[in-house]
Amino acid sequence: MATAVPVGAVVDKPMTREERKVIFASSLGTVFEWYDFYLYGSLAAFIGKQFFAALDPTAAFIASLMAFAAGFLVRPFGAIFFGRLGDIVGRKYTFLVTILIMGLSTFVVGLLPGYAAIGIAAPIILVALRLLQGLALGGEYGGAATYVAEHAPHGKRGAYTSWIQTTATLGLFLSLIVIIAIKAMLGDAAFNEWGWRVPFLMSIFLLAISVWIRLSLNESPAFKRMKEEGKTSKAPLAESFGQWKNAKIVLLALLGLTAGQGVVWYTGQFYALFFLTAQLKVEPTTAQLMIGASLLLGTPFFIIFGTMSDKIGRKPIIMAGCLLAALTFFPLFGALTKAANPELAAAQEKNKVVVHADPAQCSFQGSPIAREIDFKTPCDIAKRFLAQSSVSYDNVDVPAGTLATVTIGDKKISPPAATVANQKFDADSVAKIAAFKKEIGAELAAAGYPAKAKPIDFMGGQWWTVVAILWVLVIYVTMVYGPIAAALVELFPTRIRYTSMSLPYHIGNGWFGGLLPTTAFAIVASTGNMYNGLWYPIIIASMTFIIGTLFVKETKDVDIYAGDR
């Protein structure tokens, strides 16, 4: 890591015109790229119906989330490939290439025929496009953050790079606004049939603007100077990961910074949205508007915490965000349930749903190939119905050989043994399952379980109560994410900075964070309790707090050029 400089050496001068241009151009282009990437997540339910129509609704939704996760899985490989390119060729041209790949891949999703038209080829091509998007994004963030940081004066890197940190939230916000506007113009029926494609197709115009903006930029002065002096790395991968002194810092950056930051971020922005719609059954547009409002109110805090990190340090703010999230996720999501769907919260408290069954007779309900599994046992049939109905339940183990039962308050229901996967060939199974669904549905309704959340009035206190809870989750996001770019840039020397910082960032965000919705919902589907998915981000955030507090050094006073001289 580069050496520290005296605090008094902080440059305190107004931002120049060139610096403003660099921040604006880099940030705007990155907003568009995040818009492209987040469209898929925002429209996961529609994509599940269009491209995974062969699966039942629960399995299709999980499969669409897995395809969403595929883009995150390859982000570290994009970080390695484009990071190496950026350290050899330059920052400017590398992230010009990444935005071209991202924009074109997104545009093609809007044209791709669904499963009904081309069968299994549809989801295969969709996943391939998601992989391209992930590779592009893997090279984008490191380039933009490095580019801005290397233009920033010492003492203001947190403030300058925090503008880049707003882009992910603004990209999500932009995607939500576009989706809501198009849905309002076309109506629900047209949007569900074909209108969901329009936001993807619109990305071609954003791509044109982004490319034009980035062509006007100059190369980073730090990289330009290093290249002129012939000091660029000939093998940035070997230097970054083949030498323990650098590889150790990469590992600490991952486990002590970006892993926790990633799960806090995706919990506050994505999982909260999925939780509102899938678990609390809030109308999607209402949920998107409330998430959008919380993002709008929370976004300035990226700049506030980024600027604050120039004064008190990056580490205290990031660690505080991880700790607060780990301690309060359960009560916050419990409060979210009571605020967004009070009838559901009341029913859960008064009439708990409990499945009593022999564990050996229960399959994993989070499987994305559920239709191919022939659920025959009473346990599987009961849990599958509850999962599809988004009914949270507890599990009680019973002795082997005991038949499964479902209790709702003091009511007991016995699910049948039947065949699910091949029920079209088994009239008796069809009748048994239909009778069970009718009986348990009636008991759930009698116990106060709502089929969906009641409409939430925009002008009422309930709407703003939900937004306030979501805003707290976004504040945690701004705490962990606002200072992270500056911290990562300051950990590594210029010659390998693009490569070294990109990999831990994209493993932390792409793997630990990007897999959160899929992992959390699989946990929920498997255990039945709608809050159990929160254990994943809580455990990861706690790990990062401990490792980061003990082993990661503060970087705010580091001279980022010292290691290159």
Side-chain angles (χ1 to χ4, degrees), residues 70-86:
F72 290 94
L73 289 174
V74 298
R75 278 171 58 177
F77 301 102
I80 291 172
F81 178 80
F82 290 109
R84 176 182 178 276
L85 200 63

Side-chain angles (χ1 to χ4, degrees), residues 1 141-142 144-146 148-150 152-165 257-258 261 302 305-311 313-315 318 480-492 497 501 505 553-560:
M1 189 170 70
Y141 175 83
T146 300
V148 171
E150 291 179 350
H154 179 77
K156 290 191 174 182
R157 283 190 295 271
Y160 280 38
T161 56
S162 64
W163 289 95
I164 289 290
Q165 304 310 91
L257 289 174
T258 62
Q261 169 258 304
F302 286 108
F305 287 119
T307 303
M308 189 184 299
S309 76
D310 286 327
K311 297 177 174 61
R314 328 298 185 200
K315 179 177 167 179
I318 296 171
V480 299
Y481 199 54
I484 197 74
L488 292 174
V489 165
E490 291 160 350
L491 281 172
F492 304 102
R497 180 169 296 135
M501 73 163 287
Y505 174 82
K553 295 180 179 180
E554 181 54 60
T555 62
K556 78 178 181 68
D557 294 325
V558 160
D559 177 359
I560 64 173

Side-chain angles (χ1 to χ4, degrees), residues 371 374 418-431 433:
R371 179 162 286 188
D374 191 359
T419 301
V420 173
N422 298 312
Q423 58 180 289
K424 64 181 179 180
F425 303 114
D426 187 345
D428 184 52
S429 288
V430 173
I433 292 172

Side-chain angles (χ1 to χ4, degrees), residues 91-329:
R91 294 26 172 152
K92 171 186 173 180
Y93 293 105
T94 301
F95 69 76
L96 183 62
V97 172
T98 61
I99 204 165
L100 279 169
I101 296 174
M102 175 66 81
L104 291 174
S105 299
T106 305
F107 179 73
V108 174
V109 171
L111 299 175
L112 183 62
Y115 185 89
I118 59 174
I120 192 65
I124 291 174
I125 297 172
L126 178 70
V127 171
L129 292 170
R130 284 294 299 165
L131 294 177
L132 283 175
Q133 287 182 324
L135 288 171
L137 189 58
E140 165 65 24
Y141 175 83
T146 300
Y147 187 79
V148 171
E150 291 179 350
H151 276 86
H154 179 77
K156 290 191 174 182
R157 283 190 295 271
Y160 280 38
T161 56
S162 64
W163 289 95
I164 289 290
Q165 304 310 91
T166 68
T167 60
T169 297
L170 291 175
L172 173 58
F173 183 74
L174 179 61
S175 71
L176 292 176
I177 292 299
V178 170
I179 290 168
I180 292 168
I182 293 174
K183 187 185 293 186
M185 287 188 291
L186 298 178
D188 288 344
F191 187 86
N192 293 346
E193 184 179 353
W194 59 269
W196 63 270
R197 296 178 179 274
V198 176
F200 289 97
L201 297 174
M202 285 178 59
S203 67
I204 198 69
F205 300 106
L206 302 180
L207 174 63
I209 296 171
S210 301
V211 170
W212 175 72
I213 289 172
R214 293 195 170 182
L215 284 173
S216 69
L217 296 176
N218 296 316
E219 184 54 84
S220 153
F223 182 84
K224 185 178 179 182
R225 185 191 70 182
M226 190 175 61
K227 192 169 185 178
E228 289 172 350
E229 295 173 355
K231 295 181 179 179
T232 55
S233 175
K234 300 297 187 293
L237 294 180
E239 282 193 53
S240 296
F241 314 121
Q243 299 178 13
W244 176 241
K245 65 177 183 179
N246 290 324
K248 177 178 66 175
I249 299 174
V250 171
L251 189 61
L252 285 175
L254 168 61
L255 300 179
L257 289 174
T258 62
Q261 169 258 304
V263 296
V264 172
W265 179 20
Y266 282 94
T267 300
Q269 294 192 175
F270 268 112
Y271 190 66
L273 176 59
F274 293 149
F275 188 83
L276 281 171
T277 55
Q279 299 298 332
L280 304 186
K281 306 174 186 179
V282 175
E283 193 276 323
T285 300
T286 301
Q288 290 166 349
L289 284 171
M290 292 189 293
I291 288 285
S294 68
L295 295 177
L296 188 63
L297 294 170
T299 294
F301 287 85
F302 286 108
I303 311 300
I304 291 171
F305 287 119
T307 303
M308 189 184 299
S309 76
D310 286 327
K311 297 177 174 61
I312 69 172
R314 328 298 185 200
K315 179 177 167 179
I317 299 173
I318 296 171
M319 294 302 108
C322 287
L323 180 61
L324 285 170
L327 293 176
T328 62
F329 272 163

Side-chain angles (χ1 to χ4, degrees), residues 24-79:
F24 175 76
S26 300
S27 299
L28 189 60
T30 309
V31 166
F32 293 160
E33 187 144 358
W34 281 113
Y35 164 85
D36 288 350
F37 197 74
Y38 281 153
L39 274 182
Y40 185 100
S42 301
L43 294 170
F46 299 95
I47 288 171
K49 294 176 183 177
Q50 292 287 331
F51 295 97
F52 300 98
L55 304 175
D56 71 29
T58 299
F61 185 64
I62 293 174
S64 67
L65 289 179
M66 290 183 69
F68 181 55
F72 290 94
L73 289 174
V74 298
R75 278 171 58 177
F77 301 102

